[in-house]
Amino acid sequence: MAQPSEPTLADVAREAGVSLTTVSRVLNNRGYLSQATKDKVAAAIQHLGYRPNQVARSLHGKSTQTIGLIVPTVALPFFGELAVEIENALAEHGYRILICNSMGRSDRERDYLDLLVGNRVDGIISGAHNEDLDEYHSIRMPLVTIDRTLSPRIPNVRCENEAGGRMATRRLLDAGARRPALLTSRSHPLNLRERGYRSVLKEAGIEPIVLEVPFHTPAQERPILVAECLDGATEMIDAVFATDDLAAAEVIEWARQRDLEIPRDLRVIGFDGTGTVRRALPGLTTIRQPLDLLARKAVEILMEQIASPRSTKRDGGGDPLADEDEAIALTVEFPVTLIEGWTA
Amino acid sequence: MAQPSEPTLADVAREAGVSLTTVSRVLNNRGYLSQATKDKVAAAIQHLGYRPNQVARSLHGKSTQTIGLIVPTVALPFFGELAVEIENALAEHGYRILICNSMGRSDRERDYLDLLVGNRVDGIISGAHNEDLDEYHSIRMPLVTIDRTLSPRIPNVRCENEAGGRMATRRLLDAGARRPALLTSRSHPLNLRERGYRSVLKEAGIEPIVLEVPFHTPAQERPILVAECLDGATEMIDAVFATDDLAAAEVIEWARQRDLEIPRDLRVIGFDGTGTVRRALPGLTTIRQPLDLLARKAVEILMEQIASPRSTKRDGGGDPLADEDEAIALTVEFPVTLIEGWTA
DNA sequence: TTGAAAGCGCTAACAC
DNA sequence: GTGTTAGCGCTTTCAA
């Protein structure tokens, strides 16, 4: 609700003494214009402080040049940094970003999905962590997920989670750990980092110890839950692979409180390697996800979908074999890197 | 560019066998409708998977129910968390947020300002750190800044920075520090945290030592610059007040590398107290800003401005005295709190 | 209770 | 080169 109401094309046209079309033309630099006209219009625009109403422009052109990003919360460094990378990648294509923080609530995620469709964003990138909403399957617009398989038909970009899990676990064993525990937000057969952890331990003939603290646990309760898990296992472990860096930080704090020296008494390795955690905890050994590559790839896929409005059908039907092929191609994985610190 | 093109009001009307108006009415629940009509229309909407085009709605109603937030980058926990708090506060008023990361570049900030005005957001919250852009003064819509004085006529919300600076410095002295240094992003008479630091030292008759590492220094270079500053002053200091927590973390890492034990050899206190840093570095003594209160207040002020489209003139003129009074009322400050850790 | 019609600000044929 | 005009999808008088 612009207050003394923004000037419109008509105002500019009147001020410059030309027609609407002419103004529109100089704005979009289309068609033939005399230099004199251009100057007149430019002066009027300048004088009125006119800025084209993108809303009206979108209504006509059907393109809002906006994409929606759904994440649990940009308050977490991983998603904050991801959002920035995506914004930068989009900017190169002339797109902007509408960020939606689902806060892990599926009702909010559903609302945001409606909102984005209602606002006719040109596409959606979803990096939320919720149980899968049916709503996604009725989305008729370009859609890409990050680190989340919604359906084999929806393209997905992620890092090599399983390889990362293996890398982390092996790193602990290489350092001499004999009983490395896994601390993760949800133990599950599809938890690929966990799968990597288990596979390395299996090869080594070591029994896995899996500790769980749910992803959406309120920050104040986390240290308590983490301590409970760890206290319960303290005799059996000599290392922890935390599947995210902040959980690793909680392990470190627990060790400090229990007078365990790191890495002598306990080795710790994290996962993510965000810039923020690396600033806050430069000594943390961790597995870094290539956020920039994930973001660029997700945007690239989205841009392809936008450019080629092919049927975007995700509703069964079609050649099952072709679908299968497509499904494989639709998941893109990027390698992770080990970042050495002194905690492992 | 919704691909098989989203259904429109007209589609629903046709499907339901009623007029556009009727559909619009049931959508907005306005006027008298027979239950039968309501049901018919509801069925059609359901069947088509219709979602109102908010773009068109905005074009007419002049309200986009969106506000723009400009911050340096949500990749920093302070701004990430601020963005989430603002989003939550806005949601209670039925508003959404368009997040713009200026990345500290004034050209980007300028572009975003144009974008927001062009998109007819209903208001803007600016928490960017750039040198002040003239563009802000030509903004004709509700505008609130966070921790940034743009002009005495633009409302500003912030924490009690100077009191916070005093609190931090006094805490160091109370712990026994005799030569506390300040580490800040920009030393300046208007740097209120610095001012607080200086005032306490003055009372105590201690000479200030101010170290500077610019805000927008790339992450990789920061540890080097911090180390340079600190190495140069190492003989003269026994404590550091870092004006943000991540800088404090860098001080801690430097101390570790130099084999200085904290807090015995060096006391460290930070500023901000974001949730992320408290998770990563729970032992850090710091000054917490009440992000939730800042966010709520900024949104509240914005909502008031939106509700009362008073002249919103910021272009000189008017009674200077009244302006003066207003200017005072327009800055709202919230108290900070000391968070005890073991680093000081 | 319901419908027809006039815009909201802008773009894009299609004239002149 | 420049203007006229018909929409984009929706809301909202004003009639019926």
Side-chain angles (χ1 to χ4, degrees), chain A residues 1-8 48-56 58-59 61-64 66 73-77 79-81 83-84 87-88 91 96-103 108 112-115 117-123 135 138-142 219 222 244 246-247 249-250 253 256 275-277 279-283 305-312 342, chain B residues 1-8 48-56 58-59 61-64 66 73-77 79-81 83-84 87-88 91 96-103 108 112-115 117-123 135 138-142 219 222 244 246-247 249-250 253 256 275-277 279-283 305-312 342:
Chain A
M1 199 175 290
Q3 316 214 307
S5 146
E6 298 289 327
T8 77
L48 270 54
Y50 169 78
R51 301 204 176 101
N53 184 335
Q54 300 295 345
V55 176
S58 300
L59 179 56
K62 316 278 262 199
S63 161
T64 52
T66 300
T73 165
V74 291
L76 284 175
F79 295 106
E81 294 180 19
V84 169
E87 178 182 22
N88 289 338
R96 45 184 172 274
I97 191 177
L98 194 57
I99 299 178
C100 306
N101 299 113
S102 73
M103 306 310 286
R108 266 184 83 144
Y112 269 130
L113 223 36
D114 277 352
L115 178 96
V117 177
N119 273 60
R120 300 298 188 267
V121 295
D122 295 341
E135 276 75 0
S138 70
I139 294 293
R140 279 177 276 247
M141 61 174 68
R222 295 194 60 90
D244 76 281
L246 291 175
E250 284 153 357
E253 172 65 8
R256 199 192 60 81
T276 294
V277 172
R279 277 186 71 187
L281 231 41
Q305 284 193 44
I306 291 175
S308 66
R310 28 154 211 202
S311 49
T312 320
W342 50 263
Chain B
M1 201 176 288
Q3 317 214 309
S5 144
E6 298 289 328
T8 77
L48 270 53
Y50 169 77
R51 299 203 178 89
N53 184 333
Q54 299 296 344
V55 176
S58 299
L59 178 56
K62 317 279 264 197
S63 162
T64 52
T66 301
T73 165
V74 290
L76 284 175
F79 295 105
E81 295 181 20
V84 169
E87 178 183 23
N88 288 338
R96 45 183 174 272
I97 191 178
L98 194 58
I99 299 178
C100 307
N101 298 112
S102 72
M103 305 310 286
R108 267 183 83 142
Y112 270 130
L113 224 35
D114 276 352
L115 178 94
V117 176
N119 275 56
R120 299 300 188 266
V121 294
D122 296 340
E135 275 77 0
S138 70
I139 294 294
R140 277 177 278 246
M141 62 173 67
R222 296 193 58 90
D244 77 281
L246 291 175
E250 284 152 357
E253 172 65 9
R256 199 191 61 80
T276 294
V277 172
R279 277 186 71 185
L281 231 42
Q305 284 192 41
I306 291 175
S308 66
R310 30 161 208 196
S311 49
T312 320
W342 50 262

Side-chain angles (χ1 to χ4, degrees), chain B residues 181-183 209-214 217 220-237 240 250-251 253-255 257-258:
Chain B
L182 177 80
L183 175 62
I209 302 175
V210 175
L211 275 19
E212 216 177 330
V213 173
T217 306
Q220 326 85 287
E221 296 173 26
R222 296 193 58 90
I224 300 160
L225 292 186
V226 169
E228 273 175 13
C229 287
L230 256 17
D231 283 336
T234 193
E235 302 299 314
M236 325 188 286
I237 66 180
V240 178
E250 284 152 357
V251 174
E253 172 65 9
W254 170 82
Q257 287 175 5
R258 298 291 181 272

